[in-house]
Each structure stands twice: as structure tokens, then as C-alpha cells.
Amino acid sequence: MHLRPAVIGLTSLLLLAPAALTGGGQAIAVPARTAAASTAASTAASTAASVKAEQPRKPRKKYAAKIRITKHGIPHIRARSFAGLGYGAGWATTAAATCNLMDTVLTARGERSRRLGAKATYNDRVGGVGTNLQWDTLVTDLHDRRVVEKLLADEVAGPSRRAKAMVRAEAAGINRWLRTHEITDPACAKATWIRPNVTSNDIWYAIYLAQLIGSTTRFLPAITQARPPAAGQRVAAPSLSREELARNLGADQSTSFGSNATAVGGSATTTGRGMLLGNPHFPWLGRYRFTQMHLTIPGRFDVAGGSLLGFPAINIGFNEDVAWSHTVSTGYRFTPYQYTTAGSPTRYQTGDGTRRLQRRHVEVRVRTDDGVKTVTRTLYRTPQGYVINSPSQFMTWTPSSFWAMRDANAEHLRTLDTFLSMARASGVRDLLRRQDRGGGMPWVNTIAADRRGHVLYADHSVIPHVTDKLADKCMTPNGRLLFKVAGLPGLDGTRAGGACAWGTDRDAQRPGILGPKHLPEVVTDSWVMNANDSYWAPNDRKRLEGYPRIIGCERCERSMRTKVVMSYVRDQLAKGKESPATLRSHEYANRVYAAEVARAGGRLDRVCAATGRTAACQVLHDWDGRSDTTSVGTAIFQEFMRLAGADGVDLWEVPFSAADPLTTPHTLSTSPAVVDTLAEAIKTLTDRGIDLSAPYGSMHRSADRGDAGEGIAIGGGLGSATGDANATSSSGTDDPVVGGVNTGSSYIQAIAFRGKRRIEARTVLTYGQYEDPASRWSDDQTRIFSRERWVAFPWTERQIRKDLVRTVRIRG
């Protein structure tokens, strides 16, 4: 103990000035006779206090949580406070996904280049693709501008004290696990940079980046590589078809990043209560995996479901009275502004004269063979946001104009609060009210069902306040092209701070976004669904119209996946009401709806016969029309539809009609282009050595790390391209049809409310809860998914005790 210096210092002070110790700025007279006694007493008290201060104390425990782990590694976290839940969630998430979580933290810190090298590509698997240096350049600039720190202090756009406390505790829970456990996952077991030093800011930046996946991070290369053209340089106009431009802007259904959700109300169920089937199609690998959790504060809070990695809250799930799921919305989270330059590519016109672009020099630490060095990159900004140079999206930086984007999801940090509030909802209307008050539903629709028998569809996500009237007044000529092709209004940057600024609704949580009265919704006791098409047709009868085009299209074509999801419900209701069992059965029905349409009138057989591929055509003719693991012929049709979509082949003779959206287009064309596409599909598969007569499950297998490289047979298919609700594919590979499945059906839940209190909950986390291949819970649910079965989720205390594997109590 270092006691002596403290005692000597205080004694010396008393002896030097016994009669003039200051208190409150005044001299206090001390009688001479008592000075020595006073000094001795003070010294003794000081010594005792010093000894007490130096004695080891038990550290005060700020957080406590009880984690009961049931079968399949599902954590049921119980605490007395939201901070305690955050602490338990941090610990449990780190246990299940150590490497992935720490990689997410690395990205949020802007340190990928320093630890992993600058040139490696990081793909977040939902749209953001770039080199580590590009990611670090953007993220470092966010740190330099203290974006998250400013939002944390913002009383309107920032998080609540409850959310802040939860995230602080989550960081403590992560660090607690890292301090007390050895990392065994080979993906990062030797990573020397992993330390128990995670901060709440790390988590907030990770949450913030998750808000931007439908906007800023999709433009990562366009932002980080934007450079002004040289003086006199000619910049060629891009040559793009309308289809290419729409695809580049994300206004098509080709992406595997999507979801299905169906809610059936009391008038259409055997229980008289609401039921929900939710299946988000998310990556099986990387930052946007789900983990399962059950969070409980006795008497105050009880919710279970799937949580995206790093969120200490349930994103998709259920409580005692309401269940909800999400699908990716067609709404835009941003608008591009086109600026006219003023004599220089970096000067531009405004309503108040000319301005110069903000030039931001960003320093990034990069690992090299000679050690770590600093490289500098440059970004450009206007008051609206980052300058982008994206010829593939018709937004090019030329000597006469450039584009910058304003991102509504970059202007808030309300997502966590929104989900925390939704988890306490008492019904679907209350759920929507809480969502609107939260103001942070970043990029998804909501489909929900409640115990009273009501169901909800709503797109109340964060969308810029750009009405059609404002868009018409403010679009530039190029901006009108973007709007016509993809519904994205390109606005006039010269007036961005005035007449063409985003508007404000009085009922919105904050300025600049559309309020609830401008957003589509329907509450009913029949049924609703969404499979990533726009809000226009939430079921076979209801039409939602009159909303701003920036949210989505109206009277527009529905995908084959939308049609099959609707068909499941319509076909069942034609026979009788939906039961919990029939609703669950839709998940594994594996109908390939596009094939049902193509086969009508023998058209598919005629097209195949024209290819001259007799053996393949016999396989296709005998195919059961499904994507079960036992089906034979699935791959041929899937490859045919994939190639047709990639090449823009017009497949149908009868075009889409808004008057009959669920059955048009139809009648497979027998044109040479269609015949050639099917012939190419057969050749592509045979050239890769695929046995066309083999069961689908022998070629369509999991690529998750937990299966020792052999893979597990997986049903399902390409989704929107083929009309398969059980979307599973190999995203980002040369062979999405028969490659290793790494994306698609993820956290699936079938929730049925029964009576006044009962819940019948069935779930499957398709890739398993734990990422470490050595864990027994790394692929157990993948095998359940392969066998087309379910996990009976333990919701009640009795169910939890029955399935209990171990209990962990943590304090810190």
C-alpha cells in the first residue's frame, strides 16, 4: 500500500498553516492550544481513511443477468433492468458468434485495413461491397465528424437513456465473456487484435451502419472513389438500358435480400386468434445473421425472437399478445441531389450564390509488409451529404454537374428504441403506434398478428419527406429519368436548402421524414402478406393507393414469390380456415410457382422439345414442380429462370395487367429466345458436371461453416425469380442454383395465439445458433430445416425448465 506519502503530505500542510486553513474562501482561526490536538486527530482520521481506501474492496456490481440455455443453444435472459438484459445479451451473443461479432466491431471502428489489410474485399452480404480501405475511409470519416456522438446527444433524433444504458451494459457483457473464455472458433482463435475492450461507441457505430444498408453503404465505392474530373476532361454519358438502370438502383426483385411474411386474422383461423408465419431471407454468413434470444424482466418485459448480430433487442419476434415479422420495403431512404457546377467541378451553385465542396481528408491506418502506415483518402460533401460518382446508376460527376445524396437513416439513432418499444405492444395497433413514436424502423415493412385476431400490414419505415408534388417541382431532367425508371426522384441541388428541401409532417417523430398519415397501412381480421413487392396489394382484395411514389409503385407487377405466398393462403381458405398446422406447412411446401405458370397448356414441354435435349426434357417433364431435397429436375428450371432474368428475356405472351395482378403475366412464350435460354440452362448444368437426374438435395447443400465442408441437403430455391417462398441460394457465387447455400430463409417463426394466454410457437434458425463448428449447436437446426421440421420454442417457465441445458449467472 502507498500510504506514507499521503499521510506526510497532509501532516505537513497542517503544521505549516494551523491557523489559516481555508474553508469556503475564508480563513478559519484555530486556537493554538487545540491546534496540535486537531492536527493529531486529523492525521489519525486521514490515516484511517487512507488505509480504508487502500484496502481491497469488492467491486460494485452494476449489472446482473441469469441466462438459461435451452436446447439448440437458445438463451433465455432474465434480469431486473434493461441494462441487465443488455449485459446478458452481450455475453450470450459473444458466446454464440464471437468472430462475427468482433469482425462487426472492427468494421465499426474503421480498423479493417489496420488489422486485415487494405486490399481485401469486405462484403456485408446485403448490398455493401468494397475493399477494407473503402469501408475504413467512410467509417473513419463518420468518426472524424463525430456523427454517432452528436446523435447520442440529440434529444429528438438520438436514443433514450434506457437504450444508452442497455448498450453500455451490452459492451460490458461482451468484455466479460472475452475476459473469461478462450476463443476456440478457428475463424478468429489466433486473432491477436481481439481484446475485451469493446466500448458502447463501438456498438452504436455498428447499429448506425446497420441503418445505412439500404442507402449510404450501397454507394460505398461511389462515395469513396468520387473524384472531380480534370479541367477540360470529357466524361462520356453512360450507356444503360432501362432494365440495367432499374437493376442497378435496386428497383427489381433479383436480390436474395428480402423476406416473406403472412399474418392471418381471427375471421380466417380455426383458433379465432391471430397467427403469423415470418421468414426473412437474410445471409447465413456475416454481420447480418440472426441470433435467437428470449428477454425477460419479470412483470415488465417479456419478448422472444431473432436479433441481428449486435442488437440487444428483438428485431423479429413475439410477446404474450402480438407477433411480428419484417420484409424489406421498396421505399427509398435517400434522395440524390444534382448540383450545377460554377466554373470548377468543386464549386457549385446555390440559391445564395456559389459554394465550394467540403473536401475531407481521411487518414486510415493500413497494415503493410513493413508495418502499419497511414494513408490519406479524400471524400467530398455538400450540406446534404456525400458526393457520389456512379455512372452505373446514371449519376456521374462531370465538369458541368455532380450528385450528392441525403440519407434519412443517417440522421437518427432511433432504431434500438423503436424495437424495444414494439416489444411491449399489446396488439397490432399498439405495435404500429409504438413504431411511429420510435421513428426508427429503418428499411422494412411490418406484418403482425395479435391475440385479439387482428392483423397488420404497414410500411411505416424511415422515408424522406418527398411528396410527388415536391418531386415534380424539383426534379432535374436526369432526375426525372431516375424517377421514371425506378421511382427515385433526383432533385435539384441548387435549391436543396430551400424550395427543394425535404418537407416536414406534424405527426412524424422528427423533421424530414414522412409521418404516419403519409404512409400505407391496413389492419383487418382477414389476412395480409408481403414478399418484398410494394405496399399496393397486401392481400388478394385490398389495394392501397395514393401514396408518394418514393415509397413504392402502385398498379405494378407482382413477383412470382408474392403470388405463391398469396396462393398458399388463398388455396387453404378455399378449403377451410387456416390452422396453426396448415400455416406452418406453407413454409416447407416448396412450390415453384413460375413452373406452374410455365407448364400451363404444355408450353414448357414444347419449349424444351425445341431444344433437342431429349433426356433433360424427360427429367423436366417428370419433375414434381417443387424444390424439395428429393425433387428431380428442380435445377433445370431454376437455371432457366435465372438466365432469363439475367439476359432480360421476355418469357410471357400475355403481359401484366393491373386489373388482374395475381394471374398475369402468363402463357410461356415459345419464341427462339426462350428456347435458346432453356438450352443454355441445360448446357450450363451439364458442363459443370451436374447429373440432371440426381435428387435436388445432392446438389443444393448448405455452405455454412458448421457442416465440415460436406454440406447438408437444403430445400427451397431462388425465390423471386422462380416463385419459391422458401428462398435459399448461393449468393455471390458463379452458381447460385446448385452451389453451397449461404443466404435465404433464416430466422423462421410460426406463431399462433390460443385462448387468453397460450402461445404455440415454432421456430427454426436455419444456420444454427452457434458459429463455432465444434459446437453441437452449429448445425443442429440446419439439419432440422433440411428435414422440414420445427423447434418447439420454450416460452413458458415450464417449457424452459423442460428444455434446460445449463444456467449461467453473470454479474459485473
Side-chain angles (χ1 to χ4, degrees), residues 182-235:
E182 178 184 356
I183 299 174
T184 58
D185 189 335
C188 66
K190 296 181 180 179
T192 57
W193 52 268
I194 296 180
R195 293 284 187 270
N197 59 358
V198 176
T199 68
S200 59
N201 262 20
D202 292 334
I203 296 169
W204 280 120
Y205 270 100
I207 292 173
Y208 183 75
L209 288 174
Q211 294 177 180
L212 307 183
I213 63 176
S215 44
T216 294
T217 60
R218 289 190 60 191
F219 287 86
L220 181 66
I223 290 170
T224 56
Q225 295 179 345
R227 298 291 179 269
Q233 177 184 352
R234 286 190 174 186
V235 179

Side-chain angles (χ1 to χ4, degrees), residues 489-678:
L491 306 180
D492 182 1
T494 302
R495 297 182 288 163
C500 295
W502 295 352
T504 295
D505 279 338
R506 294 184 64 182
D507 62 338
Q509 188 269 337
R510 60 185 177 279
I513 59 174
L514 293 172
K517 291 181 181 179
H518 266 128
L519 297 170
E521 67 182 72
V522 59
V523 175
T524 180
D525 65 355
S526 58
W527 65 280
V528 293
M529 59 75 61
N530 187 266
N532 305 123
D533 277 321
S534 70
Y535 57 84
W536 176 55
N539 63 28
D540 59 344
R541 296 172 182 256
K542 182 68 177 179
R543 300 293 177 264
L544 301 175
E545 296 182 346
Y547 294 94
R549 177 63 179 87
I550 194 171
I551 309 173
C553 62
E554 297 173 2
R555 301 181 64 78
C556 51
E557 187 172 343
R558 306 288 92 178
S559 74
M560 288 291 182
R561 180 156 56 88
T562 289
K563 292 173 185 177
V564 77
V565 173
M566 282 203 179
S567 183
Y568 285 141
V569 181
R570 296 172 73 200
D571 292 353
Q572 175 59 37
L573 294 182
K575 297 182 291 185
K577 293 185 176 184
E578 286 274 17
S579 69
T582 61
L583 187 64
R584 288 198 300 269
S585 73
H586 302 334
E587 173 58 36
Y588 291 127
N590 290 339
R591 285 169 57 184
V592 182
Y593 193 77
E596 297 175 17
V597 178
R599 281 175 152 175
R603 287 291 183 120
L604 184 59
D605 283 341
R606 287 171 55 189
V607 168
C608 199
T611 68
R613 302 297 187 107
T614 306
C617 291
Q618 188 62 50
V619 170
L620 194 59
H621 174 80
D622 295 340
W623 172 45
D624 63 8
R626 300 185 183 274
S627 59
D628 293 331
T629 58
T630 56
S631 299
V632 177
T634 309
I636 300 174
F637 187 79
Q638 286 202 96
E639 183 65 12
F640 167 54
M641 294 298 292
R642 185 187 74 82
L643 290 175
D647 297 339
V649 177
D650 187 1
L651 289 173
W652 312 108
E653 290 185 358
V654 177
F656 168 75
S657 168
D660 195 8
L662 300 184
T663 61
T664 59
H666 61 74
T667 308
L668 182 67
S669 170
T670 57
S671 69
V674 175
V675 173
D676 290 346
T677 302
L678 183 52

Side-chain angles (χ1 to χ4, degrees), residues 273 554 810:
R273 309 285 181 175
E554 297 173 2
I810 54 173

Side-chain angles (χ1 to χ4, degrees), residues 152 197-198 220 328-329 346 438 472 532 584 665 685 742 782 795:
L152 288 171
N197 59 358
V198 176
L220 181 66
V328 176
S329 157
T346 58
D472 187 61
N532 305 123
R584 288 198 300 269
L685 294 173
N742 62 16
T782 310
W795 168 254

Side-chain angles (χ1 to χ4, degrees), residues 58-275:
K58 289 185 177 180
R60 186 181 173 209
K61 304 295 185 183
K62 293 177 62 176
Y63 310 119
K66 177 182 178 182
I67 304 173
R68 291 175 292 176
I69 300 173
T70 56
K71 294 176 182 177
H72 313 295
I74 301 170
H76 302 259
I77 302 167
R78 195 178 186 93
R80 294 182 178 179
S81 67
F82 283 95
L85 291 182
Y87 188 58
W91 189 97
T93 302
T94 313
T98 316
C99 300
N100 203 347
L101 180 62
M102 295 310 295
D103 188 74
T104 299
V105 168
L106 194 67
T107 305
R109 289 173 172 170
E111 293 185 353
R112 300 194 66 84
S113 300
R114 180 180 178 185
R115 304 298 184 182
L116 306 176
K119 295 182 179 179
T121 296
Y122 174 60
N123 183 351
D124 70 7
R125 298 176 183 269
V126 295
V129 183
T131 65
N132 285 339
L133 182 57
Q134 289 172 342
W135 281 99
D136 291 340
T137 299
L138 174 65
V139 175
T140 300
D141 188 58
L142 297 177
H143 280 275
D144 290 348
R145 294 191 294 115
R146 296 180 60 78
V147 171
V148 164
E149 289 84 349
K150 291 174 183 176
L151 286 171
L152 288 171
D154 191 314
E155 294 184 358
V156 175
S160 65
R161 295 198 318 188
R162 177 181 65 182
K164 292 176 188 176
M166 217 171 171
V167 168
R168 282 194 299 270
E170 182 187 12
I174 293 170
N175 292 331
R176 164 66 184 265
W177 192 94
L178 291 174
R179 280 195 305 269
T180 56
H181 290 77
E182 178 184 356
I183 299 174
T184 58
D185 189 335
C188 66
K190 296 181 180 179
T192 57
W193 52 268
I194 296 180
R195 293 284 187 270
N197 59 358
V198 176
T199 68
S200 59
N201 262 20
D202 292 334
I203 296 169
W204 280 120
Y205 270 100
I207 292 173
Y208 183 75
L209 288 174
Q211 294 177 180
L212 307 183
I213 63 176
S215 44
T216 294
T217 60
R218 289 190 60 191
F219 287 86
L220 181 66
I223 290 170
T224 56
Q225 295 179 345
R227 298 291 179 269
Q233 177 184 352
R234 286 190 174 186
V235 179
S239 177
L240 297 169
S241 68
R242 291 172 61 90
E243 292 76 18
E244 288 173 324
L245 179 57
R247 185 162 54 247
N248 294 342
L249 289 168
D252 68 357
Q253 293 290 336
S254 62
T255 176
S256 59
F257 178 49
S259 303
N260 314 317
T262 304
V264 186
S267 69
T269 63
T270 58
T271 62
R273 309 285 181 175
M275 301 191 305

Side-chain angles (χ1 to χ4, degrees), residues 392-537:
S392 68
Q393 292 160 316
F394 217 68
M395 290 179 277
T396 306
W397 196 341
T398 72
S400 60
S401 73
F402 64 85
W403 298 80
M405 64 178 290
R406 181 179 176 185
D407 185 345
N409 272 327
E411 299 177 3
H412 76 94
L413 206 53
R414 295 287 303 166
T415 298
L416 178 55
D417 277 291
T418 302
F419 283 115
L420 288 173
S421 182
M422 286 169 57
R424 305 178 81 172
S426 59
V428 297
R429 287 188 173 92
D430 187 34
L431 184 88
L432 190 58
R433 282 193 295 268
R434 288 171 174 274
Q435 188 177 110
D436 291 336
R437 287 199 298 267
M441 190 51 54
W443 28 258
V444 289
N445 304 287
T446 300
I447 299 87
D450 67 25
R451 189 177 294 279
R452 297 184 184 92
H454 298 126
V455 294
L456 162 76
Y457 163 79
D459 187 349
H460 281 212
S461 53
V462 172
I463 298 175
H465 191 293
V466 179
T467 62
D468 290 350
K469 182 178 180 180
L470 177 67
D472 187 61
K473 177 180 72 172
C474 291
M475 285 185 291
T476 64
N478 282 1
R480 288 187 184 278
L481 176 62
L482 300 179
F483 188 71
K484 185 176 182 179
V485 170
L488 176 64
L491 306 180
D492 182 1
T494 302
R495 297 182 288 163
C500 295
W502 295 352
T504 295
D505 279 338
R506 294 184 64 182
D507 62 338
Q509 188 269 337
R510 60 185 177 279
I513 59 174
L514 293 172
K517 291 181 181 179
H518 266 128
L519 297 170
E521 67 182 72
V522 59
V523 175
T524 180
D525 65 355
S526 58
W527 65 280
V528 293
M529 59 75 61
N530 187 266
N532 305 123
D533 277 321
S534 70
Y535 57 84
W536 176 55

